[in-house]
Amino acid sequence: MSLVPRPSVTVRFSGTRSAEGPLNIGQYNVLQWLRGESEQFFAAVAGELDVPAAAVVDDVAEALAVLIERHEGLRTTYVDGVEPQQFVHATGDLVVEVYAIEAADPQLVDRAGLSRDLTRRLRAAGAYRIGELPVRAALAVRPSDASTSSAWVVQAAVIGCSHLAVDYQAMEIIKREFADLIRDRTARPAGGPPIQPLDLVALERTPAALRREESVLSYWKDRFSRMPQCLYPVPRVAAGNGSVAVEMTSTAAGMALRAVTARTRTSRASVVLAAIGAVLSHRTGTRELVLPTLSANRFEPHLRQHVGSLAQLALITLTISDTTFDRLVRQAWAAAVDASRHGRYDVDRQSAIARRVEHERGVVFDCEPLFNNLVIESGPATGRAVASVPTPGELDVTRRATQLQRQPMPVGTTLIRFDLYETDGQLRLGCWSSDTGRISADEVESLLVAVENLLIAAGSGDLDARGIRGSIPLSPVQRGPGWLLVDGCWVEVAEVQRLLDDELASTGAKVFAAVNGVPLVAHLARTETVRTPEQAHAACMAALKAYPTAMAPQSYVICERVPDDPDDPAAWIDVCCQGSGRTVRTADTGLC
């Protein structure tokens, strides 16, 4: 089966208004992310459209026109700059790509395969450029069977949008409304007209909204004060830093999810999150997990049908204690809701808070999502019927069909992340390691299998703390005496020394642990470029992101020269006290 390009189709749209104005909070957040990163894999959102069997190209074009007219974000262009602007266009054209299907047997056309091929073709067009319409679409067609008609029947259709225009929940809204429209051109969504992206600007500047934002930023400051630098602190096991993703498809875990969700009256995503949290805590020894995630922020009624990009970073805090799995699931549900309520903010102010806390603590936060939930659920399962409890035998038989598929990936900015793709009928869960020198492909697979194992065990009934631990087929990370727990962060002293060797080489810097109650103290010789503790700290902080299991020292002792025995802390103190040494990044205390 192959696709042959045909002449494209122009969809003309005519909306109710043209307008311009600044970006809303969500749009600006995405713009900040996309600046310089527009070629990222996740810079666009694509979706497969539900096309009835007899629909022809004109049917699809008319439905797309209504969608674009209804949702201004789909006909908005953007101009970047000191004060970025958005421009809503009342009228315009969308050029839709059309491909004819060449297949030996038209009855054996693989619609899912066609959709994947069309999506690849949309992505091959490159990044969405600032100033162009943020929507693309492509169709796979075959000639009509009717001898009197020359119309082409649509076998598959996909739509792609810039992340500036939609997030994943917005794409679900688009897909749902398209399915209604292509069957009934007069279909209208329930709940009245949706709030448009430009309308949000005024709503975000009301006194109530501004007060709420101050509360949200206080929340972020508190979380940043507790969040560890590395969320999966494991020692390096191999050279190099390749990147790999593994996707697990498990029908057995999907069966277990239904049972646990019905039992706990939560969401399926919360059950998966609880399982991931339990596995990470067991493996790393971390009791309080602060998990970056993405929130689509549609908990307010007026945003339920909003087509725009509201996705922003949120922090889910899970405390893994000696509790049952069902209680952990309910805690994960409540934590996710709480994180979402604090997931709309001015990204510039939030980033400024992060930088201040980072400087004070000597850490650099990885604010890419560790848990990325791409599943759209309407809410907790309070109205669902009780699911039948699968027997251990049923789960074991079904588990034999579990698939693990590896895929090479571009090097990411986060050490590890989980992507939840599907929970209905089966569990599709991905895990991505951006540094296989620390987290190998085998370990990625082991983490996914551990999540599946825990879910299957919980599917037959609630587990106590011992049962949770016994269902995780992984050993805790073994850390030798070279590791310290500092300010909630597991730190390799050798990695701190490597940071100093790389960034303060001319100073001969050495790090020592637990000096006068200070966890990490760096001794170094004064140079022309590093004359103060503040300069030394700035150099460390600028490079720290490349050293996930390090931390910038809490103190810097500046000496006139490197002693004869630089590995002896007493030798440094002698040199320091004979010279004019000062200490610490806060220059009001001293070690000499």
Side-chain angles (χ1 to χ4, degrees), residues 540-560:
C540 289
M541 292 298 297
L544 187 57
K545 195 170 183 63
Y547 306 82
T549 56
M551 173 187 259
Q554 285 74 47
S555 299
Y556 301 83
V557 180
I558 308 294
C559 301
E560 291 301 322

Side-chain angles (χ1 to χ4, degrees), residues 101-115:
I101 303 168
E102 288 193 345
D105 185 350
Q107 303 302 316
L108 299 179
V109 168
D110 176 12
R111 178 170 290 197
L114 287 172
S115 296

Side-chain angles (χ1 to χ4, degrees), residues 186-353:
T186 64
R188 287 292 180 267
I195 292 290
Q196 305 293 352
L198 191 58
D199 299 331
L200 284 181
V201 177
L203 292 177
E204 291 166 352
R205 295 180 178 180
T206 63
L210 295 175
R211 286 193 300 272
R212 185 165 55 248
E213 184 177 29
E214 292 302 321
S215 174
V216 168
L217 293 174
S218 295
Y219 168 94
W220 275 92
K221 184 178 180 180
D222 172 73
R223 293 304 187 272
F224 280 143
S225 70
R226 297 152 54 184
M227 182 177 174
Q229 168 164 303
C230 182
L231 299 169
Y232 196 75
V234 293
R236 182 167 292 282
V237 295
N241 61 342
S243 187
V244 67
V246 180
E247 183 176 310
M248 177 179 71
T249 303
S250 171
T251 301
M255 294 168 61
L257 272 178
R258 288 195 297 273
V260 179
T261 301
R263 195 171 69 225
T264 59
R265 300 297 194 221
T266 58
S267 69
R268 294 186 293 270
S270 297
V271 179
V272 177
L273 174 60
I276 290 172
V279 169
L280 292 181
S281 178
H282 176 80
R283 178 75 173 132
T284 65
T286 304
R287 303 281 282 184
E288 184 179 69
L289 299 172
V290 184
L291 308 178
T293 186
L294 288 177
S295 170
N297 306 310
R298 284 173 174 79
F299 55 89
E300 296 173 271
H302 66 277
L303 294 177
R304 297 279 164 78
Q305 299 303 316
H306 177 73
V307 171
S309 199
L310 299 179
Q312 290 191 257
L313 186 72
L315 292 180
I316 296 176
T317 303
L318 276 181
T319 301
I320 311 298
S321 59
D322 289 334
T323 187
T324 69
F325 186 73
D326 285 5
R327 287 176 182 167
L328 181 58
V329 169
R330 295 187 184 100
Q331 180 195 341
W333 165 257
V337 171
D338 185 56
S340 180
R341 286 174 177 156
H342 296 89
R344 290 188 66 199
Y345 47 82
D346 182 324
V347 67
D348 286 338
R349 296 185 65 194
Q350 182 250 24
S351 296
I353 291 171

Side-chain angles (χ1 to χ4, degrees), residues 288-529:
E288 184 179 69
L289 299 172
V290 184
L291 308 178
T293 186
L294 288 177
S295 170
N297 306 310
R298 284 173 174 79
F299 55 89
E300 296 173 271
H302 66 277
L303 294 177
R304 297 279 164 78
Q305 299 303 316
H306 177 73
V307 171
S309 199
L310 299 179
Q312 290 191 257
L313 186 72
L315 292 180
I316 296 176
T317 303
L318 276 181
T319 301
I320 311 298
S321 59
D322 289 334
T323 187
T324 69
F325 186 73
D326 285 5
R327 287 176 182 167
L328 181 58
V329 169
R330 295 187 184 100
Q331 180 195 341
W333 165 257
V337 171
D338 185 56
S340 180
R341 286 174 177 156
H342 296 89
R344 290 188 66 199
Y345 47 82
D346 182 324
V347 67
D348 286 338
R349 296 185 65 194
Q350 182 250 24
S351 296
I353 291 171
R355 299 295 86 77
R356 287 197 299 271
V357 176
E358 286 175 338
H359 183 86
E360 292 166 1
R361 294 181 61 200
V363 299
V364 173
F365 300 125
D366 185 352
C367 285
E368 289 298 309
L370 185 145
F371 178 67
N372 190 27
N373 177 21
L374 304 178
V375 174
I376 307 302
E377 297 183 66
S378 59
T382 53
R384 296 176 186 165
V386 176
S388 60
V389 178
T391 67
E394 290 173 330
L395 291 172
D396 286 341
V397 170
T398 310
R399 185 175 187 174
R400 295 170 193 164
T402 295
Q403 296 179 347
L404 292 164
Q405 185 173 1
R406 296 184 182 185
Q407 177 184 358
M409 294 291 282
V411 175
T413 59
T414 187
L415 184 60
I416 189 172
R417 67 181 279 167
F418 290 86
D419 293 288
L420 182 58
Y421 297 112
E422 184 179 350
T423 59
D424 190 8
Q426 63 182 5
L427 172 65
R428 279 205 307 127
L429 179 65
C431 184
W432 177 6
S433 164
S434 66
D435 186 352
T436 52
R438 288 189 182 275
I439 308 171
S440 67
D442 287 344
E443 178 157 4
V444 171
E445 287 192 0
S446 296
L447 289 168
L448 290 171
V449 169
V451 170
E452 179 193 41
N453 208 67
L454 177 54
L455 289 172
I456 289 174
S460 299
D462 194 9
L463 301 172
D464 60 16
R466 184 176 181 179
I468 292 173
R469 291 190 294 269
S471 301
I472 299 174
L474 288 173
S475 300
V477 172
Q478 298 299 310
R479 299 187 181 92
W483 287 81
L484 298 175
L485 185 59
V486 181
D487 191 16
C489 305
W490 279 109
V491 177
E492 281 185 289
V493 178
E495 280 292 281
V496 180
Q497 185 60 57
R498 192 166 71 90
L499 168 67
L500 299 181
D501 290 343
D502 293 345
E503 306 307 321
L504 298 174
S506 63
T507 71
K510 291 291 181 180
V511 65
F512 300 103
V515 178
N516 287 6
V518 181
L520 296 167
V521 178
H523 289 70
L524 57 150
R526 190 189 314 275
T527 68
E528 287 300 317
T529 55

Side-chain angles (χ1 to χ4, degrees), residues 34 58 122 125 153-154 162 171 251 277 308 366 377 462 585:
L34 292 179
D58 285 349
L122 286 184
V153 176
V154 178
S162 166
M171 179 56 73
T251 301
D366 185 352
E377 297 183 66
D462 194 9
R585 67 182 83 132

